[in-house]
Amino acid sequence: LLLACLDLKPEKLYSLGGRQELIMGTSPLLTLVLLLLVRGTNAFFIKERRSSIELPPADGLRIDGLNPSRFTPPTEVGLVLAVDNPNPVLSWWIPPPSSFKNRGLRVNTSRLSLKLASENEDGKLKEVWSRLIVSSSSSGRNYRYDGPALQPATQYCFAVSYQSGLDGNWAKESELACFEMGLGADPKSWLPSTWIGDDELKVLRSEFKIPTELLEKAKAARLYVSGSWGQYYINGEQISTNESLGVGWTRYDKRCYYATYSILPLLKKSENVVGATLGQGWRDTVAFPPKFQAQDERTGIDLGFRARANIEQITPGRGNLSDGFFAVNPSWTQRTVRMLINLQTTDGKWHTVAYTNKDTWEGTLGPVLNDSIFNGETYDAREAVKIAGFSTPEYQASASDWTTVADISYETWVKTTKLVAQPIPPIRVQESVRPYSIKLVEMSDDGKKGHFLIDFWKNRAGVCRVKLPKGEKGSNITLRHAEVVMHEPYGYYGQDGKYLYYENLRSAKATDVYIFNGDEEEEGQFWQPSFTYHGFRHLELIGWPCGVGDGGDNAAGDADDDDFFGKPMWWTQCANPPQIEMIHFRTDVEQHGHIQTSDDMINSYWKMVVGSLDSNIMSVPTDCPQRDERLGWMGDTGSSADISAMVYDIAPFHDGFLDLIEDDMLSNGTIPDVVPFYRYGNQQADPSWSSAFIFVLFSRFHISGNLEPYKKHRDSVKLYLDNMFRQYEERGRLAMMVATGDLWGTYGEWEVANETDRPPHTFVSAFNWILTLQQASEMAESAGDAHLAKLYAKNASDISREFLQVYYHEDQHSFEFGSQTELALALRLNILNEDEAADVGDFLNHRLQADGEDQGNWTVGMYGFKYILQSLTKSGHADTAYSLLKSTPNPSVGFMLLNDFEPASTNLWEVWDAIHQDATGNSRQHHMYSTLGTYLYELAGVVGNQEHGFGYSQQKPLQLAVQGVINNLTHACSKSKNAFGPFEFCWSAPSFDGVIPDDDPPSSSHFTVTLPTGSYANITMPLLQTKHHRAKRLRIVESENVIFEGTVDRDSMDLPHAPLPGLDSLSFNFESYTLDFIVSSGKFNFSLSQQPVSN
């Protein structure tokens, strides 16, 4: 009766006598009884709390890390966000409070609401689930859905509201983030469709009918499709216009991704046609012979991993011509598709109206004569005429050109795979790049065709888009892609017609060819390859129809000219100059990380870091984009996991890769060097390479504050670590390995700058093994796995002790042979006491001095490079780290940027001395050195990020610092995203070298910081030190409000300051001579004026 009178509602917030708050749970009566016991009669003064001040609504809503705003709304034509995870992770953040008085905003409680998109109640979507999350530690993180079972092919939306911890008010509910469930885990949901395909048939079509009465009742239609790279059409309209290449790369015997397209507006009453054009993609077994299948399934002949034979002698019709040989496909058809078209009527029922099968589908060769990721694409426009309109009902398929498509359900991988809604973003175009320069180097004898060199300045992954000239039927233009202009010692530019250097591509031809039909339109017709990509900066364009010019001189032009795509103006020998652009694409993860400083060299380094990452986010984290490899090497991925998370909204991409690692893990816990496991690598992996499993998981926690990936994979983590420990024991532990010369690894410190300083493989393996255990222990502890945390920590401690016993030379303050890598790695482990660490840091610093053993030169490889700059900085030698970074002799990052032969623009080399090394492993676009970016963030003010992350909890806040007094920068800005949302830190400060003179004028510093709600930051601002003045008179202003004015000296600590929302403390540290601010949740604008005071 009391409950009815009060009309209390479940999961609402109420004010208790104006002083206390109550969240009604699922049992309001029980809650009220408990309240009466605690509050007595005050409980009767109850009223619902409502917001009286403006609070920013939650933002950044994601479903399993995917951003709904980057997908097509379900009523329009295009790719929709579909998930198969029955318990998707819902995540969000809360922007900074907009008002001054709300700075420092805390979140007491968040409320999640899941709504059924198809049902309305009073004009609102019907709520099917809600959850209250009581938390004072974050503004909203990641919550794994735990409500009623989500139904297949059903649309849902979720929203978030939250309660302010300052005054108990509630923010309005966020905008809806909508998604739909895929077909689910039941294989029967894909029936009656089957897998079909034929390697010779690249264009497929199928006619189907939809009854008029069914289409009139339709409210939605979906096309579900999996297979090789493809482009898909309904009634003449391409539906996959915003995606490149097709679904992502997996171990096809374990899982195949499928895409979900909304297509209702394209369907017609009665006659309809669905079409597909297919490329090999990652299913190309010429370049990707699988390691797990060595037999032809039809003949039983043992083919080996790299078998080649005449296809007619073994399996007619199942090969692809390459270099005069047919490559036998030992495990799968390379061009394949499985498709289902379902239509939903207004009663909510789904109806299958079309599907892949061998009876109703037909195929033909098409205009793409051949395609390969590595070799390129050849397109014959003469053949394109034959299939014009092939996906329309009006098209008449010739019986002589079209044939039935085979059912390939017998293939082994089909029997073991599972279909999964693609959990990673699609590959999409990111930018188009106009040429930096175009040079005509040769003309044909008849003066009608030109040979051009085109420099795009940027080294990127993608293809070229060409505005086609009028060409003679059967003639062609050839596009050859390369990273480097020919130079010594590889050869001489122009000699024997060699202008670009192709040898570092190894067997990859990286060549696209367009064959003219002869009736191309004079204006407006473009062509770009559909089923390949290249990593390139330079293009050799051969056979370009020039027409007849007036015989003038060759000339290179400036592509910044506004009239670039207009009339020819840079040379007069070619009347029709090339009109071409680079189309760069990659997996569509948003870039949220940026750095800009007062130092142009640092800014160039940042472009190199981002460029090297940008070209290798290609369904999986590939090592390089240009040569005959492009694989998911674990060592590279583990090294760059942190910086990838700092720069990109990488969560779904890394989460998808973690699933692939688990797919490749054997039952005993072994992991391969390469994921997916093809062509190269070993299983068991090198310990440093397999550690990527933990490093990627830890970056999800350490940078993004998300423990859900660890919780999902915790059993596999334990399986992997148990296997590693078993190996360690079987090898006799570290001392025995060293004594017997057991390398315990294949790769070790990869691509060292100085071979004589390469540390033993065992040292590097032990380092990564210890770091893996330390990180696993931290994740386990944070996830509440106390027993596992204790076990991993004990193993890390025991092996660290052995590491010190075997490698540490206390009397020399050194490790093993005292190389830069050995010292940097040892310091990173934090297993030395404070004095020992200082001594080792001093020894490392001495090696790098002009009179030291290394004389200021790099000697490190991949792992030493990742840690040396931060190790120097942490041990008190920031100046040495900065000098090392800025050095330009070979080898150095500065040499990559500024050498005379091939200065890097947006790329990082694979090897230190790329311009002189042979082509075996000599990529100019490798992301393993992108780890430099973590140090660049340090220079820009986000300090200690390797150890402390990006402020993933209130207990471990974001560490920021004004850096100018250390490295002569005068200003810097950095942006990224942590567990609480996007943040930004900008500062300006006087720059000086060492101690400033006494007569320096008063100086000022400035910083602004924007923190999402719930985020804390410790900000350090160094004060200038003069020779005779240690006391300072300071004036600190925040947004025109003076919060402190007075003198600080050795007796000053906590500074009395005017009350300021969001400023939790202000203190002076005399030992470090810094001001320390602790701020939270908001936008702050601080200025500091300082004046020396005589002693």
Side-chain angles (χ1 to χ4, degrees):
L1 180 63
L2 175 65
L3 197 64
C5 292
L6 291 174
D7 192 28
L8 298 182
K9 298 180 177 63
E11 297 181 345
K12 293 290 185 180
L13 186 76
Y14 295 86
S15 171
L16 312 181
R19 292 174 297 183
Q20 192 170 335
E21 295 156 358
L22 164 68
I23 297 167
M24 298 303 296
T26 55
S27 176
L29 180 59
L30 176 60
T31 307
L32 185 60
V33 170
L34 293 173
L35 173 67
L36 287 170
L37 292 174
V38 176
R39 294 287 295 157
T41 57
N42 284 337
F44 291 98
F45 297 95
I46 300 176
K47 61 179 179 179
E48 186 174 352
R49 293 292 296 271
R50 300 181 185 276
S51 177
S52 60
I53 58 175
E54 187 69 25
L55 295 172
D59 198 357
L61 277 65
R62 303 285 192 270
I63 298 94
D64 276 342
L66 295 168
N67 184 351
S69 68
R70 299 180 84 85
F71 289 82
T72 302
T75 57
E76 300 176 12
V77 175
L79 185 70
V80 299
L81 199 173
V83 299
D84 272 341
N85 183 356
N87 302 102
V89 175
L90 309 177
S91 57
W92 66 97
W93 66 74
I94 299 173
S98 55
S99 67
F100 175 87
K101 64 180 180 180
N102 272 357
R103 292 193 311 195
L105 176 64
R106 315 282 197 275
V107 173
N108 277 354
T109 306
S110 297
R111 184 181 190 276
L112 304 186
S113 171
L114 189 73
K115 306 167 193 292
L116 194 62
S118 59
E119 295 187 27
N120 294 318
E121 290 184 343
D122 300 326
K124 297 181 180 180
L125 298 185
K126 178 182 178 181
E127 183 174 87
V128 295
W129 170 85
S130 65
R131 184 68 75 235
L132 284 168
I133 306 169
V134 180
S135 173
S136 61
S137 63
S138 77
S139 63
R141 298 278 199 105
N142 311 277
Y143 191 86
R144 189 172 292 280
Y145 174 77
D146 57 3
L150 301 176
Q151 300 304 305
T154 302
Q155 298 172 33
Y156 297 91
C157 301
F158 93 95
V160 179
S161 57
Y162 67 93
Q163 179 207 16
S164 165
L166 295 180
D167 55 15
N169 289 311
W170 279 81
K172 67 178 182 180
E173 196 171 68
S174 69
E175 292 186 3
L176 295 174
C178 298
F179 65 101
E180 66 183 60
M181 297 303 293
L183 292 176
D186 186 355
K188 294 180 181 179
S189 62
W190 278 83
L191 295 177
S193 71
T194 60
W195 285 97
I196 62 172
D198 188 310
D199 289 340
E200 300 303 320
L201 303 178
K202 308 178 185 73
V203 180
L204 309 182
R205 72 188 301 271
S206 176
E207 298 177 358
F208 63 98
K209 293 183 178 181
I210 302 178
T212 299
E213 61 274 15
L214 189 64
L215 191 59
E216 288 178 346
K217 296 178 180 179
K219 69 174 185 177
R222 295 291 181 266
L223 182 149
Y224 303 97
V225 62
S226 182
S228 51
W229 286 359
Q231 296 177 336
Y232 308 105
Y233 305 80
I234 295 287
N235 295 325
E237 297 290 333
Q238 184 175 344
I239 63 173
S240 50
T241 56
N242 196 28
E243 293 78 47
S244 303
L245 304 185
V247 290
W249 183 16
T250 61
R251 263 285 299 267
Y252 299 121
D253 64 326
K254 296 294 183 77
R255 74 177 67 213
C256 291
Y257 293 154
Y258 70 86
T260 303
Y261 290 95
S262 173
I263 59 169
L264 182 60
L266 300 181
L267 297 178
K268 301 177 179 180
K269 298 175 183 178
S270 190
E271 301 293 336
N272 291 269
V273 174
V274 56
T277 55
L278 302 178
Q280 296 181 106
W282 291 294
R283 289 175 175 261
D284 178 1
T285 53
V286 176
F288 288 93
K291 291 210 171 212
F292 53 86
Q293 178 73 17
Q295 241 182 24
D296 184 272
E297 287 141 349
R298 291 186 180 179
T299 66
I301 296 175
D302 186 5
L303 303 173
F305 294 150
R306 294 172 175 79
R308 286 190 175 187
N310 189 319
I311 199 71
E312 295 176 356
Q313 297 175 8
I314 299 181
T315 53
R318 297 193 63 218
N320 189 38
L321 189 63
S322 175
D323 299 337
F325 291 91
F326 285 95
V328 173
N329 180 349
S331 66
W332 54 53
T333 299
Q334 294 161 99
R335 290 184 176 85
T336 183
V337 65
R338 189 172 187 181
M339 184 185 294
L340 197 65
I341 298 179
N342 290 347
L343 187 147
Q344 186 183 38
T345 47
T346 52
D347 59 3
K349 294 181 180 180
W350 285 94
H351 308 265
T352 297
V353 295
Y355 54 92
T356 47
N357 63 85
K358 65 182 179 62
D359 298 320
T360 63
W361 283 71
E362 55 189 351
T364 190
L365 297 176
V368 178
L369 302 187
N370 56 68
D371 64 275
S372 162
I373 296 176
F374 302 133
N375 294 332
E377 179 178 314
T378 298
Y379 184 92
D380 191 340
R382 297 170 299 180
E383 297 297 319
V385 176
K386 300 177 182 179
I387 65 162
F390 79 99
S391 63
T392 64
E394 296 76 23
Y395 180 79
Q396 298 296 316
S398 168
S400 61
D401 293 330
W402 291 79
T403 185
T404 57
V405 187
D407 185 322
I408 59 171
S409 299
Y410 64 88
E411 294 187 356
T412 302
W413 68 273
V414 174
K415 301 170 185 176
T416 60
T417 196
K418 60 181 178 182
L419 284 157
V420 179
Q422 177 159 300
I424 63 174
I427 293 174
R428 284 183 172 146
V429 172
Q430 301 300 310
E431 65 175 330
S432 59
V433 182
R434 289 166 55 174
Y436 174 76
S437 68
I438 299 178
K439 185 176 183 180
L440 176 63
V441 293
E442 294 180 14
M443 287 290 291
S444 61
D445 292 340
D446 61 5
K448 294 183 178 180
K449 294 183 178 180
H451 184 158
F452 294 89
L453 293 186
I454 299 173
D455 180 0
F456 293 97
W457 188 252
K458 294 183 177 182
N459 188 323
R460 285 286 192 264
V463 294
C464 284
R465 183 171 182 260
V466 184
K467 186 175 182 182
L468 294 169
K470 184 76 172 177
E472 183 181 348
K473 187 173 184 177
S475 65
N476 67 74
I477 53 174
T478 299
L479 291 74
R480 299 190 68 190
H481 307 76
E483 295 186 293
V484 181
V485 172
M486 180 62 73
H487 62 73
E488 297 181 65
Y490 307 128
Y492 295 96
Y493 174 82
Q495 189 176 57
D496 300 324
K498 295 181 179 179
Y499 297 98
L500 300 182
Y501 175 63
Y502 297 105
E503 280 67 21
N504 74 319
L505 306 182
R506 301 195 300 214
S507 67
K509 292 181 173 57
T511 300
D512 299 328
V513 178
Y514 180 90
I515 302 172
F516 287 95
N517 180 49
D519 61 355
E520 281 77 9
E521 299 176 12
E522 292 289 346
E523 296 292 338
Q525 186 168 344
F526 290 85
W527 171 74
Q528 73 180 61
S530 299
F531 302 118
T532 188
Y533 78 91
H534 315 287
F536 66 105
R537 169 178 166 171
H538 300 278
L539 179 74
E540 192 167 7
L541 179 60
I542 304 168
W544 183 264
C546 275
V548 180
D550 62 7
D553 295 333
N554 298 354
D558 181 0
D560 288 334
D561 195 301
D562 291 337
D563 217 12
F564 173 62
F565 283 109
K567 60 184 180 181
M569 53 196 162
W570 302 331
W571 51 82
T572 52
Q573 281 187 296
C574 188
N576 301 306
Q579 300 187 46
I580 192 167
E581 57 188 340
M582 172 195 287
I583 303 298
H584 164 52
F585 48 71
R586 58 160 169 80
T587 298
D588 190 32
V589 291
E590 300 164 77
Q591 183 180 342
H592 55 233
H594 301 273
I595 288 174
Q596 182 72 30
T597 77
S598 57
D599 189 313
D600 289 340
M601 193 173 189
I602 302 299
N603 297 338
S604 294
Y605 286 162
W606 176 250
K607 293 177 182 178
M608 294 161 70
V609 166
V610 174
S612 69
L613 291 168
D614 217 46
S615 291
N616 286 296
I617 304 175
M618 198 68 75
S619 178
V620 301
T622 58
D623 58 327
C624 60
Q626 75 295 102
R627 68 181 180 222
D628 58 353
E629 194 166 348
R630 312 184 203 181
L631 301 175
W633 279 101
M634 295 279 280
D636 305 57
T637 302
S639 288
S640 65
D642 281 359
I643 185 59
S644 296
M646 294 173 186
V647 177
Y648 298 101
D649 194 1
I650 204 74
F653 182 76
H654 273 170
D655 289 351
F657 191 65
L658 289 166
D659 289 340
L660 300 186
I661 293 173
E662 201 166 84
D663 283 350
D664 269 320
M665 180 184 287
L666 300 182
S667 59
N668 66 355
T670 60
I671 291 174
D673 292 321
V674 173
V675 173
F677 188 36
Y678 295 91
R679 196 176 190 190
Y680 293 115
N682 304 295
Q683 189 169 12
Q684 182 82 42
D686 182 298
S688 298
W689 264 238
S690 65
S691 62
F693 184 37
I694 305 301
F695 292 163
V696 173
L697 281 169
F698 191 68
S699 77
R700 296 284 289 111
F701 168 58
H702 188 62
I703 304 300
S704 307
N706 192 344
L707 272 171
E708 291 302 324
Y710 165 78
K711 293 176 183 178
K712 176 180 179 181
H713 296 284
R714 55 157 56 98
D715 292 341
S716 294
V717 167
K718 186 175 186 306
L719 186 66
Y720 163 68
L721 294 176
D722 286 349
N723 175 67
M724 287 290 294
F725 194 77
R726 187 167 53 250
Q727 283 187 63
Y728 187 71
E729 292 279 297
E730 290 172 353
R731 291 173 180 269
R733 303 182 76 94
L734 188 57
M736 180 61 71
M737 282 189 263
V738 173
T740 59
D742 184 347
L743 295 179
W744 196 29
T746 308
Y747 311 114
E749 174 68 320
W750 193 243
E751 298 295 357
V752 292
N754 186 335
E755 190 64 36
T756 61
D757 260 6
R758 179 187 294 276
H761 286 1
T762 312
F763 183 98
V764 179
S765 295
F767 162 79
N768 281 301
W769 175 220
I770 294 169
L771 189 59
T772 293
L773 288 166
Q774 291 175 343
Q775 295 183 354
S777 177
E778 186 174 341
M779 288 188 289
E781 181 179 10
S782 298
D785 298 337
H787 172 70
L788 291 177
K790 187 175 180 180
L791 173 64
Y792 300 153
K794 181 182 183 303
N795 288 341
S797 178
D798 291 346
I799 299 167
S800 295
R801 189 162 49 251
E802 296 170 24
F803 187 84
L804 291 171
Q805 291 170 353
V806 172
Y807 291 122
Y808 181 43
H809 307 302
E810 185 175 3
D811 57 333
Q812 301 173 21
H813 313 306
S814 180
F815 279 78
E816 191 60 351
F817 303 116
S819 70
Q820 291 178 18
T821 290
E822 289 159 343
L823 299 171
L825 299 192
L827 287 169
R828 172 63 185 87
L829 289 175
N830 295 321
I831 58 177
L832 297 168
N833 64 42
E834 187 175 342
D835 291 338
E836 290 170 337
D839 289 340
V840 173
D842 290 344
F843 182 69
L844 174 59
N845 178 63
H846 176 70
R847 283 200 62 146
L848 285 159
Q849 300 308 305
D851 58 348
E853 186 172 343
D854 299 328
Q855 298 181 339
N857 295 313
W858 299 84
T859 68
V860 296
M862 178 170 72
Y863 289 108
F865 182 81
K866 179 174 182 177
Y867 298 112
I868 187 172
L869 298 174
Q870 279 90 337
S871 291
L872 283 165
T873 301
K874 184 181 177 183
S875 58
H877 303 292
D879 52 344
T880 300
Y882 189 66
S883 296
L884 187 61
L885 177 69
K886 297 275 286 184
S887 65
T888 58
N890 188 7
S892 68
V893 185
F895 181 75
M896 294 186 198
L897 175 66
L898 299 174
N899 71 89
D900 294 331
F901 293 96
E902 45 177 287
S905 55
T906 55
N907 51 297
L908 286 164
W909 297 347
E910 178 183 15
V911 297
W912 289 95
D913 190 16
I915 63 173
H916 297 113
Q917 188 160 320
D918 63 33
T920 304
N922 204 349
S923 156
R924 268 55 168 201
Q925 190 63 298
H926 246 64
H927 68 97
M928 66 184 185
Y929 289 135
S930 66
T931 54
L932 172 65
T934 61
Y935 178 68
L936 298 183
Y937 262 112
E938 188 121 354
L939 289 179
V942 188
V943 297
N945 54 68
Q946 279 190 348
E947 296 186 35
H948 304 295
F950 262 20
Y952 55 90
S953 72
Q954 291 180 359
Q955 290 71 37
K956 294 194 175 181
L958 191 63
Q959 302 291 322
L960 304 174
V962 176
Q963 293 281 56
V965 297
I966 298 173
N967 49 46
N968 291 328
L969 296 177
T970 59
H971 61 265
C973 273
S974 56
K975 296 180 182 179
S976 191
K977 190 172 77 173
N978 65 5
F980 299 88
F983 68 86
E984 181 176 3
F985 179 55
C986 296
W987 56 265
S988 61
S991 176
F992 73 105
D993 186 10
V995 178
I996 63 173
D998 289 335
D999 57 355
D1000 262 20
S1003 60
S1004 62
S1005 301
H1006 179 81
F1007 72 81
T1008 61
V1009 62
T1010 301
L1011 299 174
T1013 294
S1015 184
Y1016 285 73
N1018 290 352
I1019 305 171
T1020 300
M1021 178 178 282
L1023 302 181
L1024 301 184
Q1025 299 184 33
T1026 59
K1027 291 180 178 179
H1028 305 295
H1029 300 100
R1030 291 288 285 171
K1032 289 279 186 180
R1033 181 165 183 81
L1034 305 180
R1035 178 183 169 89
I1036 304 174
V1037 177
E1038 199 285 320
S1039 301
E1040 300 183 355
N1041 299 305
V1042 177
I1043 62 171
F1044 176 82
E1045 189 165 17
T1047 300
V1048 295
D1049 55 28
R1050 67 172 60 251
D1051 296 323
S1052 303
M1053 292 181 62
D1054 291 334
L1055 302 184
H1057 59 84
L1060 187 71
L1063 177 61
D1064 291 355
S1065 74
L1066 174 61
S1067 59
F1068 172 65
N1069 187 321
F1070 185 79
E1071 294 302 319
S1072 61
Y1073 216 59
T1074 59
L1075 286 175
D1076 297 313
F1077 302 75
I1078 298 180
V1079 297
S1080 61
S1081 304
K1083 299 180 179 180
F1084 301 86
N1085 187 338
F1086 285 96
S1087 295
L1088 165 69
S1089 299
Q1090 49 185 312
Q1091 171 68 55
V1093 177
S1094 299
N1095 291 340

